[in-house]
Amino acid sequence: MVLDDPGLKHGAASPQARSDAPWQHDKNKDELEHIGKPIRKVDARSKVSGLTQYADDLTMPRMLHMKLLRSTMAHAELAHIDTSKAAEVPGVKGILTGKDMPMPFGILPVSQDEHALCPDHVRFVGDPIVAIAATEEEIAWDACRLVEVDYRELRTIGGVHEAAANEEPRLHDYGVRGNIHRLENLEFGDLADGFERADHIREDTFWFEGNTHLPLEQHASLAHFDKDGKLTIWSSTQTPHYLHRALARVLHPLPANRIRVIATPHGGGFGGKSDPFNHEICAAKMSMLTGRPVKVVLTREEVFWCHRGRHPVLMRSKIGVSKTGRITALDFHSFLDGGAYGSYGTASTFYTGALQTVTYAVENYHFRGARFFTNKAPCGPKRGHGTVQPRFALEVQLDKVACDLGIDPAKLRLDNLAPRESVTANYLRIGSMGLGACIEKVVEGSGWHERRGKKEVTKDGRIRGLGLACSSYLSGAGLPIYWNGMPHSGVQLQLDRSGLCTVFCGSTDIGQGSDSVLGWIVGEVLGINPLDIKVVTGDTDLTPVDLGSYSSRVTVMTGNAAMQAAERAREIVAKGVAKKIEVPASRLVFAEGRVFDAEDPETGMTFMEAVGIAEAQLGTIGTVGSYTPPKSAAKFRGGGVGPSPSYSYSATVVEVEVDPETGIYRVPKVWMAHDIGRALNPAIAMGQIEGSIYMGLGEAMMEEMAYRDRSHKGQRIFLHKIPSMLEYKSPSTLEMPDCVTYMIEDPDKNGPFGAKEVGQGPLLPIMPAVANAVFDAVDVRVDENPISCEKVFAAIQAKNEGKDARFGPALDATGIPDVDFGESLRIKTPWQGGDGTASNAPSRTKKAKK
Amino acid sequence: MLRLPKFAYHTPKDAVEAVRIAKQYGKEAMYVAGGTDLYPNMKRRHQTPQQVISLRDVPELHSMEVLPDGRLQIGAMVTLTTLEHYPHLLAHYKGFAHAVREISTPLLRNMGTIGGNLLLDTRCTYYDQSHEWRESIDYCMKKDGAICWVAPGSPRCWAVQSSDTVPVVCAMEAEIEFADEGGLRTLKADDLYQDDGIQYLTKKPEELLTKITLPAPGNWKASYLKLRRRDTYDFPVLGVGACLWFAEDGTIEKANVRLGGIGSYAMPATATEKLLVGKKLTDELIADAGAAAMKPARTMDNTDLDVYWRKKVAPIYVARALKACL
Amino acid sequence: MSELNKVLATFQVNGEPHEVAFVPHKTLLEVLREEMALTGTKHGCELGECGTCTVQIGGMPVLSCLVLAVDAVGKDVRTVEGLAIGSDLAPLQDCMADLGGAQCGYCTPGVLMAADALLKDNTRPTRDEIKEALAGNLCRCTGYIKIFEAIELAAARMRGEDAEPSKESIYGS
């Protein structure tokens, strides 16, 4: 494999579909009937009518209400738990403690480190200890207040520096050593040579504070263990399949085939409902204990304790570039504050190093990542999982490089674009790649060349600035959460003589419209109205396994599975019809609710009649489709995180208006271009892009998981500072800027009809673009996210005092923890003749040097 | 779901009956107007009155009228939305009307009342938390605990005055009327508040706030400027209420500047006031007067936004509030 | 009603009488959802901080989590379930459905009730007026833009105009 000169490649994104695209033999874009049209989502009507039934809207006769008593200490051993007073409260029907569910669980097989209720060790304020079910929610709450918990305090580990410095006490008895959960050290190519050849090298340190999903729906579950010995749980989960596995594990010996998980319509996920949760398992167990349905609805504060949000990450990035700004080497360190449990953290760690190479051609790349356990609510996947923080660092650093070299930041990026149809230094396979077109769109739309650096002053004395940043994201993770060779997504399709088409799929609509994706694709293939199709999803009893709504995998993976099932169904129906009307099956067209002869459209019948004919000839019609992503080119350990069937690309220009006296800024306008491959439904895709801009701006301007750190009577108090809707700041209508959105359609061969992801990618470039825009306006760098007004102010003050016009973590050795990453795993790049394997195999249990 | 604790609900038909019920139950009783401050607090168990006395049916609290001498009298139960759309207010009391508009969200203003806003509980990031959260820090002295987390050595509570209207009505020298068993009494707005996060009001618990009276339009101009993170929802982390009385030639005869959101009451910026009196409002004077507010702006780490930054921008906000009086 | 006993009262919700017995410390939110099975009204914080539980009382949008049920007795209460006319969606609902203004749909009932009240008072709201009217309704999915566009489109259609969404709002620029 030869690395093309990326400089020549930019903007080469071809609008034409390639001939190897599997959908192309079928219909050309102009002929598509439903795909690419702004049709309603299949569930739109019920959602605007208030008739959609979310988990908390469900009730059952004799239903009990459950509350969890949670730890009030950040780190402690549980010496004793006395629930006797709670048990005496009239109305209390069941009490569970850790000993009732001793089997640990966790989303990843390598980190089965959670308990449904902590048996003997609590690791953050909010860790659950006791579950109580009662006839009324208030009774359960009151009874929780009567439980006596005797804590034995342990030293609290408050962040990455503390975790690196204190090997004891350990939060967990697994991991690398001390409180280090993961250490990764991957070296692709020849770093020394890359820096040797660089004309300019700079090193920066960045901090990205954690933030959370803040779904409007508080997590809720209803569990019912019926008299036939079968358990059903309705839950606001993004991953019913993984919850099913966790329940089977903890509730053993209850077999998995007696457990049914139904993912209810979802009041917001963003990654926050992708783990199996304590309250879900407790509700199930409580129903088994009491023989009654049990509902649990978390309070807003408990939603903050569930968290699994953005990791706080400290980063040091050293970049080498040529005179013309071409990247010759990148040496990237990330230090993740993982919180109390593993969650998806292993994947998160790898993701902080995976996608830097997918936007820009990095010739030589060294990534070192460390994840620590700390006494905070556990971090996990939030929209953009793990790639958001390094993207912030890289895009701000590139802006600085451009500034150092006197090159336009847009040109610098265009000159470094990773080529389409290539393999990166870390063996990620890029297919379609429309970033060049994205950059050109936002540069043109925003008047970048004319307006940047002009420091226009608004009527109220604010200074305008423009900032640009880019990003890329996966269209689904290439590997499942647990190792298996089975499909990632399965679809069953049923047709009957009524003309009804029902699609069954284990996928979960979290508001992004994945149920509708199934309808649109099947409707397109079979030529029927998507709103006539019945979609049944997220039910482990009824629907084939789909891994869940995470990693932007649903459109590509379930879409491909649905397409396969629909094509097979079409083949069956066509066979029947062809025989009946004596026309070759290959000449039949499925469109407008009819099946007809392409050469004589009058000859044909309704879809309903066609299905009846086929059913009469061939028997009951049912088909299946499934999807497994292409095999990765990476064969080294750790190469499993990052590969994807395709990558989306985004570029944005953000405009800010900064008050130089206070540092307060507003964002009046954002230009966003997203390479979506193809928009299956443009209106819905636009909504995903606008929602990503919104969430990105929240992260950039105000959102953070801030902690209180105090001591009291010799005890450390360490807990979330602001676990409320009011004080965890989420932008309102008044903060939302005008958005100019461009969708770049460059169909990808791995996507259904060429589609790539859209739900996460456009969030990524917002934060660095804001930081870069602030610099354009007032010449100060904020190397931390959120880019809050206080930090902008502090940087302006530093500038006015003649100091470094920057706010951020220390640039010297004290800025990052002293961690021995051990020997790197060395992998030759494709252009060095590498084959995706490592040339060495360093020991995994290397001890720290003292 | 967070739920209210149990209580009995009273709906007296006039102020006398309301006061009688309050007196009868003493500490067990609390008045409720719009409920937007009290009910969240009750759900978090800050206040747990067993007797809640609603003022919804007390007709005299719902009135609003311009008195013969030109003063504007507003009943305690008048909602903030009604006020913000009242043409007389928009025409003659721009600073006050602006403060009303700055309160929380339109939905809250549809429910919240001027009386409730004037008596808004003081706020603190260690206090405005759930029962469970407060249990984790062993509570604070404002509710259930012994310590002030903001200043652990302090014998007093430092919870913050957080009403948007209070700084400006204090600056305007509005008058507030109360009903008690003994009849009615009127206080200058400043005299209703005191510098203590717990005992932030000088009134007796059973005293019923009935009306607020704004001075007649005249040779004065008032303004309000609010600092907060978002342009909606958020309480002030600094609320500057200013009122300047001008002589005919533009000389400032009297100046009241109150700083909300930083102390337990709307704190007078005395040095700023002194600088202003006897002078004309020039850009230079505005800057100096703003700078003079740095000292009283003793911000503490008990609200949103960085404590140091809030202190630094206080003079800028004071200056801008004064400019709005031009 | 000074005792803790249950109150028996008849509510007018969406023009229909609902006779319910409830304790006086119940909020309208609890009574709507738990006693009348009107679960279209959602909740996200129960402290008046998110807007999810917005309903109308006498045409005025308020937060049902902070209204006592007893205070809503005898008043004209309207919830999201009362917006549709028979089986036909109201224009506002139609436009929200067409533009994808409801993603997860959890803020949607509250947004609809606030927007419906706005359109009653103002048949031609500007973008800024819409933003202001919805400044108490958080949405984490949409970035609000499809909601704003849906309200503008609905307003135009309610004025009798033959309005369509702009090309840019559907296909991008």
Side-chain angles (χ1 to χ4, degrees):
Chain A
M1 242 160 290
V2 179
L3 183 69
D4 293 346
D5 181 355
L8 300 173
K9 275 286 185 180
H10 77 76
S14 151
Q16 269 87 47
R18 285 182 309 281
S19 58
D20 56 350
W23 44 267
Q24 216 206 4
H25 68 271
D26 191 15
K27 290 171 178 174
N28 292 319
K29 182 174 178 178
D30 294 345
E31 293 169 12
L32 292 177
E33 202 180 342
H34 306 297
I35 295 298
K37 304 288 187 330
I39 44 182
R40 259 183 202 185
K41 292 201 294 181
V42 297
D43 53 3
R45 209 185 148 86
S46 61
K47 282 193 171 166
V48 300
S49 307
L51 299 178
T52 303
Q53 296 261 295
Y54 300 84
D56 185 30
D57 299 337
L58 307 174
T59 56
M60 292 184 83
R62 301 182 72 238
M63 184 175 84
L64 299 174
H65 298 268
M66 188 181 79
K67 296 296 285 182
L68 300 177
L69 176 74
R70 293 170 182 272
S71 172
T72 57
M73 291 194 61
H75 201 191
E77 285 173 354
L78 297 175
H80 185 64
I81 303 166
D82 183 355
T83 60
S84 55
K85 282 186 194 146
E88 287 165 18
V89 175
V92 167
K93 299 292 175 189
I95 299 179
L96 294 170
T97 61
K99 66 180 184 329
D100 297 307
M101 290 166 286
M103 180 64 84
F105 69 96
I107 183 71
L108 301 186
V110 292
S111 47
Q112 301 284 305
D113 59 1
E114 299 182 53
H115 284 87
L117 295 167
C118 298
D120 49 19
H121 187 176
V122 288
R123 296 175 176 90
F124 69 102
V125 171
D127 225 357
I129 301 168
V130 178
I132 299 182
T135 50
E136 286 177 42
E137 196 179 24
E138 292 101 318
I139 295 174
W141 190 82
D142 288 341
C144 282
R145 309 272 80 71
L146 299 175
V147 174
E148 287 164 18
V149 180
D150 187 4
Y151 297 96
R152 197 173 298 134
E153 190 192 2
L154 296 170
R155 181 190 188 131
T156 297
I157 306 293
V160 294
H161 287 282
E162 274 183 56
N166 295 291
E167 298 213 335
E168 296 290 339
R170 295 186 78 185
L171 266 77
H172 293 281
D173 57 8
Y174 78 104
V176 178
R177 60 177 177 264
N179 286 304
I180 301 176
H181 174 208
R182 300 287 305 195
L183 278 184
E184 312 304 340
N185 189 350
L186 303 171
E187 193 175 355
F188 306 93
D190 187 340
L191 262 283
D193 180 59
F195 282 116
E196 181 72 24
R197 287 191 292 109
D199 298 307
H200 178 63
I201 294 171
R202 66 170 300 137
E203 197 167 355
D204 291 283
T205 310
F206 299 94
W207 168 246
F208 199 108
E209 182 54 280
N211 55 52
T212 198
H213 320 82
L214 202 77
L216 281 181
E217 180 204 26
Q218 298 143 314
H219 305 45
S221 308
L222 170 61
H224 179 42
F225 186 68
D226 67 24
K227 296 300 175 229
D228 299 321
K230 289 184 174 156
L231 174 75
T232 303
I233 181 165
W234 293 262
S235 194
S236 50
T237 176
Q238 297 178 236
T239 52
H241 173 62
Y242 295 142
L243 174 59
H244 189 231
R245 286 172 55 83
L247 285 168
R249 181 181 161 91
V250 180
L251 301 178
H252 181 80
L254 184 71
N257 59 22
R258 286 185 174 233
I259 300 171
R260 178 182 187 185
V261 178
I262 299 175
T264 47
H266 216 269
F270 317 110
K273 295 169 181 168
S274 310
D275 286 59
F277 282 105
N278 315 68
H279 63 270
E280 296 174 310
I281 297 170
C282 288
K285 183 76 180 177
M286 189 67 87
S287 182
M288 295 172 73
L289 177 75
T290 59
R292 295 171 67 162
V294 175
K295 191 202 271 191
V296 58
V297 184
L298 301 191
T299 62
R300 178 52 56 189
E301 183 169 305
E302 288 179 291
V303 173
F304 280 92
W305 301 149
C306 285
H307 189 41
R308 319 287 160 153
R310 189 86 68 227
H311 283 72
V313 184
L314 185 63
M315 293 162 285
R316 179 153 289 177
S317 182
K318 183 178 169 189
I319 192 166
V321 293
S322 71
K323 272 198 285 287
T324 56
R326 292 284 304 280
I327 302 166
T328 58
L330 180 64
D331 186 5
F332 198 88
H333 286 77
S334 63
F335 303 88
L336 294 81
D337 181 343
Y341 293 99
S343 182
Y344 285 80
T346 300
S348 317
T349 309
F350 281 114
Y351 275 132
T352 63
L355 298 194
Q356 281 91 328
T357 57
V358 175
T359 41
Y360 313 114
V362 178
E363 264 186 79
N364 303 288
Y365 179 45
H366 193 174
F367 163 64
R368 273 162 282 199
R371 184 178 191 265
F372 301 88
F373 288 125
T374 62
N375 295 115
K376 297 179 177 178
C379 300
K382 182 185 170 191
R383 207 171 193 171
H385 186 190
T387 70
V388 168
Q389 303 92 329
R391 181 56 57 187
F392 173 76
L394 181 58
E395 295 294 324
V396 172
Q397 189 170 46
L398 284 178
D399 207 65
K400 296 182 184 188
V401 167
C403 191
D404 295 343
L405 299 178
I407 298 175
D408 169 24
K411 183 177 186 302
L412 181 90
R413 288 173 170 85
L414 287 168
D415 287 350
N416 275 294
L417 290 184
R420 61 185 301 142
E421 300 298 330
S422 68
V423 175
T424 67
N426 54 340
Y427 287 87
L428 301 181
R429 211 179 263 129
I430 298 173
S432 65
M433 201 287 191
L435 182 54
C438 289
I439 294 173
E440 282 162 5
K441 277 285 184 194
V442 294
V443 161
E444 190 196 332
S446 64
W448 173 258
H449 294 304
E450 302 78 46
R451 299 181 59 218
R452 189 178 69 94
K454 293 294 184 295
K455 303 207 188 314
E456 294 165 31
V457 179
T458 65
K459 265 185 235 157
D460 57 353
R462 294 177 184 230
I463 304 170
R464 286 209 180 97
L466 293 182
L468 180 141
C470 302
S471 67
S472 175
Y473 199 68
L474 328 159
S475 303
L479 288 181
I481 292 302
Y482 63 100
W483 177 247
N484 74 85
M486 292 175 275
H488 290 217
S489 188
V491 166
Q492 277 181 356
L493 204 141
Q494 176 185 307
L495 300 179
D496 80 18
R497 60 197 80 176
S498 69
L500 175 67
C501 172
T502 310
V503 186
F504 298 89
C505 179
S507 61
T508 309
D509 197 317
I510 59 169
Q512 86 282 45
S514 67
D515 281 5
S516 303
V517 166
L518 293 168
W520 301 328
I521 287 175
V522 172
E524 186 66 46
V525 173
L526 296 180
I528 54 179
N529 182 353
L531 296 176
D532 288 342
I533 293 171
K534 174 82 182 156
V535 179
V536 179
T537 52
D539 182 330
T540 59
D541 262 15
L542 301 183
T543 60
V545 169
D546 173 82
L547 296 181
S549 276
Y550 65 94
S551 81
S552 272
R553 52 179 296 287
V554 183
T555 292
V556 168
M557 300 205 191
T558 68
N560 277 324
M563 183 172 262
Q564 188 179 56
E567 282 173 347
R568 287 172 174 170
R570 186 178 58 187
E571 212 170 288
I572 292 170
V573 175
K575 199 169 160 190
V577 171
K579 196 169 167 194
K580 175 85 174 179
I581 64 172
E582 297 175 338
V583 168
S586 59
R587 240 169 61 193
L588 291 175
V589 176
F590 285 65
E592 294 166 1
R594 292 180 72 237
V595 182
F596 56 89
D597 181 359
E599 290 177 8
D600 175 18
E602 295 304 309
T603 302
M605 63 198 68
T606 65
F607 181 75
M608 185 175 96
E609 288 164 339
V611 173
I613 286 165
E615 194 176 337
Q617 286 182 30
L618 303 160
T620 300
I621 304 171
T623 61
V624 295
S626 58
Y627 182 76
T628 306
K631 235 176 140 60
S632 166
K635 299 180 187 80
F636 56 91
R637 198 179 67 81
V641 181
S644 176
S646 62
Y647 298 91
S648 76
Y649 290 90
S650 312
T652 194
V653 169
V654 169
E655 181 172 333
V656 297
E657 294 174 353
V658 187
D659 175 355
E661 282 192 282
T662 63
I664 295 173
Y665 65 93
R666 58 180 171 236
V667 176
K669 199 160 181 174
V670 171
W671 294 263
M672 173 69 75
H674 183 72
D675 165 21
I676 190 173
R678 167 168 290 167
L680 297 182
N681 180 324
I684 301 306
M686 287 285 287
Q688 289 299 309
I689 296 172
E690 290 158 1
S692 295
I693 294 170
Y694 166 81
M695 197 164 268
L697 281 173
E699 293 194 26
M701 299 174 76
M702 53 185 85
E703 294 182 36
E704 56 186 325
M705 286 284 278
Y707 277 72
R708 278 286 184 211
D709 190 359
R710 304 292 298 267
S711 63
H712 180 49
K713 296 179 185 166
Q715 177 185 313
R716 187 161 171 195
I717 307 269
F718 191 73
L719 79 172
H720 196 292
K721 188 175 165 184
I722 44 172
S724 72
M725 279 299 220
L726 178 64
E727 294 299 337
Y728 180 91
K729 305 297 180 184
S730 175
S732 75
T733 52
L734 302 179
E735 281 75 44
M736 189 63 194
D738 292 338
C739 297
V740 179
T741 301
Y742 310 93
M743 283 190 281
I744 306 298
E745 298 202 290
D746 174 13
D748 189 274
K749 65 171 187 272
N750 285 334
F753 299 98
K756 303 198 284 192
E757 81 86 36
V758 63
Q760 307 195 56
L763 178 148
L764 286 132
I766 293 289
M767 295 74 92
V770 168
N772 294 342
V774 166
F775 175 75
D776 187 47
V778 289
D779 299 314
V780 301
R781 291 288 179 188
V782 177
D783 288 344
E784 281 196 17
N785 196 71
I787 305 134
S788 63
C789 48
E790 302 109 301
K791 294 173 189 170
V792 176
F793 177 83
I796 292 172
Q797 277 211 319
K799 185 183 78 172
N800 292 344
E801 290 163 12
K803 298 179 192 151
D804 188 10
R806 170 185 182 266
F807 187 95
L811 297 167
D812 61 12
T814 63
I816 55 172
D818 181 19
V819 174
D820 180 2
F821 283 88
E823 187 190 348
S824 62
L825 195 67
R826 283 188 294 278
I827 301 114
K828 278 188 179 169
T829 57
W831 42 95
Q832 284 180 312
D835 61 359
T837 59
S839 58
N840 64 332
S843 152
R844 294 186 63 180
T845 52
K846 200 169 159 61
K847 285 274 176 271
K849 273 182 267 178
K850 282 283 173 192
Chain B
M1 191 185 300
L2 291 177
R3 297 174 196 267
L4 289 165
K6 291 188 177 69
F7 56 82
Y9 195 58
H10 306 264
T11 52
K13 301 293 179 267
D14 59 44
V16 174
E17 190 191 350
V19 172
R20 186 188 56 72
I21 299 169
K23 192 90 186 167
Q24 179 190 338
Y25 289 104
K27 280 183 176 167
E28 278 187 19
M30 283 185 83
Y31 295 116
V32 66
T36 54
D37 185 35
L38 181 63
Y39 293 146
N41 278 359
M42 288 175 69
K43 288 182 180 187
R44 294 179 302 211
R45 304 299 188 266
H46 293 122
Q47 283 112 36
T48 51
Q50 288 112 306
Q51 313 292 330
V52 172
I53 307 162
S54 170
L55 305 173
R56 67 175 207 204
D57 292 342
V58 180
E60 59 262 45
L61 304 188
H62 291 268
S63 66
M64 188 152 54
E65 62 175 324
V66 181
L67 300 178
D69 60 4
R71 292 182 302 155
L72 175 63
Q73 195 167 65
I74 307 163
M77 286 295 284
V78 171
T79 68
L80 301 166
T81 295
T82 304
L83 268 182
E84 76 176 275
H85 293 111
Y86 181 45
H88 184 77
L89 199 79
L90 293 170
H92 301 290
Y93 299 91
K94 286 197 175 71
F96 177 74
H98 177 69
V100 171
R101 271 188 71 85
E102 293 282 274
I103 296 168
S104 190
T105 69
L107 301 170
L108 255 301
R109 296 198 295 277
N110 287 344
M111 309 164 74
T113 64
I114 183 63
N117 194 255
L118 290 170
L119 300 181
L120 188 82
D121 195 5
T122 53
R123 298 184 62 86
C124 174
T125 39
Y126 289 95
Y127 169 72
D128 290 292
Q129 302 279 3
S130 73
H131 182 270
E132 291 89 330
W133 193 97
R134 290 183 291 118
E135 189 184 357
S136 297
I137 62 160
D138 196 22
Y139 307 99
C140 75
M141 67 165 67
K142 189 162 160 69
K143 179 65 181 167
D144 299 328
I147 189 175
C148 174
W149 281 99
V150 181
S154 160
R156 59 162 286 196
C157 161
W158 290 92
V160 166
Q161 184 289 121
S162 300
S163 158
D164 286 300
T165 57
V166 167
V168 69
V169 300
C170 286
M172 287 162 70
E173 301 185 354
E175 292 178 323
I176 300 176
E177 182 192 277
F178 297 90
D180 194 356
E181 276 189 321
L184 299 175
R185 71 163 179 148
T186 301
L187 280 180
K188 231 176 94 179
D190 264 334
D191 296 334
L192 173 57
Y193 306 101
Q194 59 189 6
D195 191 11
D196 185 280
I198 298 169
Q199 300 298 332
Y200 62 99
L201 297 172
T202 58
K203 83 173 189 76
K204 289 177 286 187
E206 70 275 16
E207 268 189 301
L208 174 65
L209 191 160
T210 51
K211 289 186 167 65
I212 174 167
T213 308
L214 305 183
N219 63 336
W220 56 270
K221 210 158 169 199
S223 68
Y224 179 70
L225 194 62
K226 178 174 185 174
L227 177 61
R228 56 173 162 177
R229 205 179 287 260
R230 297 174 292 184
D231 284 338
T232 181
Y233 290 105
D234 297 337
F235 287 94
V237 299
L238 172 68
V240 183
C243 189
L244 305 180
W245 283 259
F246 294 97
E248 264 180 30
D249 67 348
T251 306
I252 298 165
E253 292 178 329
K254 184 163 82 167
N256 284 337
V257 178
R258 298 287 177 275
L259 307 179
I262 53 170
S264 297
Y265 72 128
M267 195 181 286
T270 318
T272 298
E273 292 168 352
K274 273 192 189 146
L275 259 181
L276 291 166
V277 175
K279 301 189 188 102
K280 289 185 181 165
L281 204 54
T282 60
D283 283 350
E284 198 188 354
L285 178 64
I286 286 172
D288 290 347
M294 180 72 108
K295 206 173 167 196
R298 281 177 294 132
T299 51
M300 296 190 131
D301 184 19
N302 54 357
T303 69
D304 182 30
L305 293 160
D306 177 67
V307 57
Y308 169 80
W309 177 80
R310 280 161 50 217
K311 185 170 179 68
K312 287 286 186 182
V313 301
I316 299 164
Y317 267 66
V318 169
R320 290 178 185 179
L322 292 172
K323 202 155 198 176
C325 289
L326 269 175
Chain C
M1 46 179 115
S2 64
E3 295 306 312
L4 293 180
N5 295 334
K6 280 193 173 179
V7 183
L8 181 67
T10 302
F11 291 85
Q12 286 293 326
V13 183
N14 303 323
E16 291 172 15
H18 288 258
E19 195 180 52
V20 181
F22 60 98
V23 282
H25 62 277
K26 288 286 169 186
T27 59
L28 180 59
L29 171 72
E30 290 168 282
V31 170
L32 286 170
R33 287 181 54 85
E34 295 168 2
E35 306 298 334
M36 301 184 200
L38 290 169
T39 54
T41 303
K42 307 301 179 199
H43 60 103
C45 70
E46 305 95 63
L47 295 170
E49 300 171 351
C50 71
T52 309
C53 66
T54 306
V55 301
Q56 292 174 8
I57 298 182
M60 179 86 87
V62 296
L63 296 163
S64 62
C65 74
L66 298 184
V67 175
L68 286 189
V70 286
D71 286 346
V73 174
K75 305 220 174 118
D76 171 28
V77 178
R78 205 148 161 261
T79 69
V80 66
E81 288 93 342
L83 285 180
I85 306 121
S87 61
D88 290 335
L89 296 180
L92 180 61
Q93 292 172 298
D94 248 327
C95 295
M96 282 282 280
D98 280 340
L99 286 170
Q103 284 187 23
C104 84
Y106 204 78
C107 74
T108 307
V111 165
L112 286 169
M113 297 320 286
D116 177 79
L118 168 72
L119 294 180
K120 290 263 179 349
D121 290 346
N122 185 346
T123 57
R124 202 180 287 272
T126 63
R127 180 62 67 95
D128 283 344
E129 286 167 341
I130 293 170
K131 285 185 171 188
E132 180 56 36
L134 295 183
N137 295 85
L138 280 181
C139 169
R140 290 289 283 177
C141 292
T142 61
Y144 307 107
I145 290 177
K146 289 286 168 274
I147 295 172
F148 300 154
E149 289 167 352
I151 294 168
E152 286 160 352
L153 186 62
R157 289 184 182 168
M158 288 161 75
R159 295 192 299 265
E161 294 167 23
D162 187 19
E164 290 299 325
S166 73
K167 188 183 149 286
E168 292 76 26
S169 69
I170 299 283
Y171 296 98
S173 296

